[in-house]
Amino acid sequence: MRGYQRILVLLFGFQGTINGFVPNRNRDVHFQLSVAKVDKEEELDVLINGVPGSKEDAFNPNDLPEINGYSMPLGQKSSGYSAFLDRSGVSWISNKMKIPSKEELDEDGYVDLKGENRPFVERILRAPFKAVSKLGGRKVREPGTLILVRHGESNWNKNKTFTGWADPDLTEQGKREVEHAARLLMEGGYKIDVVFTSRLSRAIRSCWILLQEFNEVYLPVFKSWRLNERMYGALTGLGKTETAETLGQELVQEWRGSLRSRPPALKVGDKYWPGRDRKYADLTKDQIPLTESLLDCMERTYPLWEDKIKYELQQGRNVMVVAQQTQIGDAEIQDVAIPTGIPIIYKFDKNLNSLPPPKDAGAVSQVHMNGLFLEKPGLLKEALKREDEWAKAVPGYDSTMSRHKTPMTSLERSLYKLNATRELGEWAREFIDLDAPVEDDGNDGNFGKPMMISEDAVWEQGMKELEVGGQFDPDAPVFHADKKSIEKEDQEWKPDDNILYNQPCVTSMPSAEVLRNGQSTPIRRDSVIVIIRHGKTQHNKLGLFTGWEDAPLADEGVEEAKEAGRLLRKHGFEFDVVYTSWLSRALATAWHVMDEMDALWLPIIKTWRLNERMYGELTGLSKKMVKQRHGDAQFKAWRRGYDVKPPPVSSFSPHYPGNDLRYQKFLRDRRVSIRESMIRSIERGEPVLMRKLPKSESLKDCMDRTIPYFVERIMPDAVEQGKRVLISSSENAIRGLLMHLCEIPEDQITGLEIPNGLPLIFDVKSKCVKLLDDGSGRDPLQVYNFGTAAKYLFRPCQNEDGTPDEECTITFESGSTPLSAADRETIDFITKRTPKPESQATEPVRNEVEA
């Protein structure tokens, strides 16, 4: 059997060599139910429906609501497949198998990874390097390594239920099995470059756990229906033991184990028919299987192997495939199994033929397989069983394998402990007398004399407020280091009793009765853009400049992201595509939102252009530290200046993106840097091409990469296709998006604050930003800080009939001071950008202006 055929078998856990695998052999064999077994069909009907003939109400696929497709262009009725037998020369593949469409080839943004369409200038620059490499006798690129991982135990695996395309999630043991697989890979020194998985939750979650353990959630992950489990047809959802007892062990084993036999087919509209699920909305009717044999699975998988996986291996990239298992019962391979929690490693020669595993002591493999097991099967299962026994027998037993500690730098750890000490001090104030004399042992060097302390008036007042239970934040704008600053501020500030503010549009929470009765909220089907800033990180909480530093979410940030997902689901939101950055905090936020919305299958497009602003040498430093070293004026210029860059990092700094593998491997849409290429070529002793990456960015620089990506990619690829878009990113990248969408002036954008974990709903039709009612009855402007530019962010929205939305008003309270020209200009700026029906006349501004 050819190398790729053996791998196709293993992509689903097909175990071992397949005897009788002959080219041109007819495989179009229907499931083996003879006339003598018709009575078994009735027994199967009883298993599925309870009593003979008691079917669910007839289901008409045409009654399904219109679904925004996963990747299908508007108006396209088929996927654009065409027969590929003549091209491939693989005669054993069925004539029904087709070439993937352009949309499927670019599934989850795959074309960006291949990077085939390089700019003309880059091709010119690369030519000399290629020539030098050839003259220098550069070694032939070795094929990458294939890593196969079966997903962890699912709920249905545990219950011994036929699963197929049904979508149960992992059990707690299944999660730990996958964590164990990741640790085995790390122990063996294996690196992962690209990941392929199915659209089933158990495989996708397994993939996420693996990448979390590697701390590499930024890696490209492509979710393909072609890697789904075998479709078990009418057996889906039935207990394996009960089915075998009812229909006979021999017949059930024939369905499960024979290469060509198919189980009885589902009917269109059955409970487990995949056409009900919108994750398969991009598939044509003939692509959605009603039942499958093992050979059908191989044919379904082949185009993915041929067009993507094989290509990646040939490029020298290490490919991890996280998928499902299907057992085969042919005589030669019936004893071969694919265990959970143990990766299988395949190496290849230059012709992509799989190499036999090494004969080293301790190497584990199975008969008829060239894959190397990283651990002897059975050890993990026994270890988890023993641990469960200990957990039940020993009170307070803390499972070592369940611990998850967020890594911290030394600075983070110090500041974290400092904050904890301060919180402890505030708690201790409840139990001690602050006015009591302090016993002095003389160790402070003043021989028992009381210390004379000079405190700033504002600080002293703040401490008094704390003593009586008030609040005092030394980082708040009202805090000043000395009295001179206060006097200067008093001279510059002049009272103005005109207050201008904007009331944001808040979409009402679905009625309590609907939520209480478990009724489904009407799904929003119009194109929409939901923008969310990542949840809080430890850097945010400690006041550190983060930038491109890959800080993970804090526990509070995880909960913020989950709450955002729950809120979006309550309001009936669904998405068709997700865009996010290469930073784990934004990726994790998107993941938790999708998880709460039961939409882990959604395509995620990752791009560095949605990264946070690059803070240069300030990265990782405390804001207080920067202010103390460089002064308040310089600190404000670097942090809030629109076109002011912080000091750049060195080419050899750990904070320089060029030293991060994710940007070295996957970033292709930046020009080559001659300077950086020369530096790296000298360092490595061979020609190396390096991209020009930012060493520092102003807010303007950040927007110059973010806005074009939105205009040139997100708009035409998603918004203009009628798709519902979720964007998870960082504060400064989101500022750029909102400046473009809401036409916020450049000189005002630095005053816009973006709260963590709050969904901002941009209505594509009315061109305005809305918030979602969380059911608390709180005023969003009282709960969240949107900064001084909130009046530009929230402008009035219109109802569908063109009338003004009464929840969205521009209001100002007029006192004795005349309205200033600046306030008048602001009102004019907002109102002129608010669409009005032609019949609505513009009224002069009075005490309240409504658009």
Side-chain angles (χ1 to χ4, degrees), residues 496-501 810-828 844-849:
D496 185 356
D497 51 4
N498 286 324
I499 302 175
L500 175 68
Y501 61 92
I810 310 171
T811 307
F812 72 91
E813 297 176 4
S814 180
S816 57
T817 307
L819 190 65
S820 68
D823 284 344
R824 169 69 66 176
E825 183 179 351
T826 299
I827 293 176
D828 292 342
V845 177
R846 296 189 179 88
N847 279 6
E848 185 174 278
V849 179

Side-chain angles (χ1 to χ4, degrees), residues 728-746:
S728 173
S729 188
S730 302
E731 184 173 33
N732 285 298
I734 292 175
R735 278 195 180 110
L737 296 177
L738 293 176
M739 186 177 79
H740 170 74
L741 291 171
C742 301
E743 301 181 37
I744 301 175
E746 290 183 359

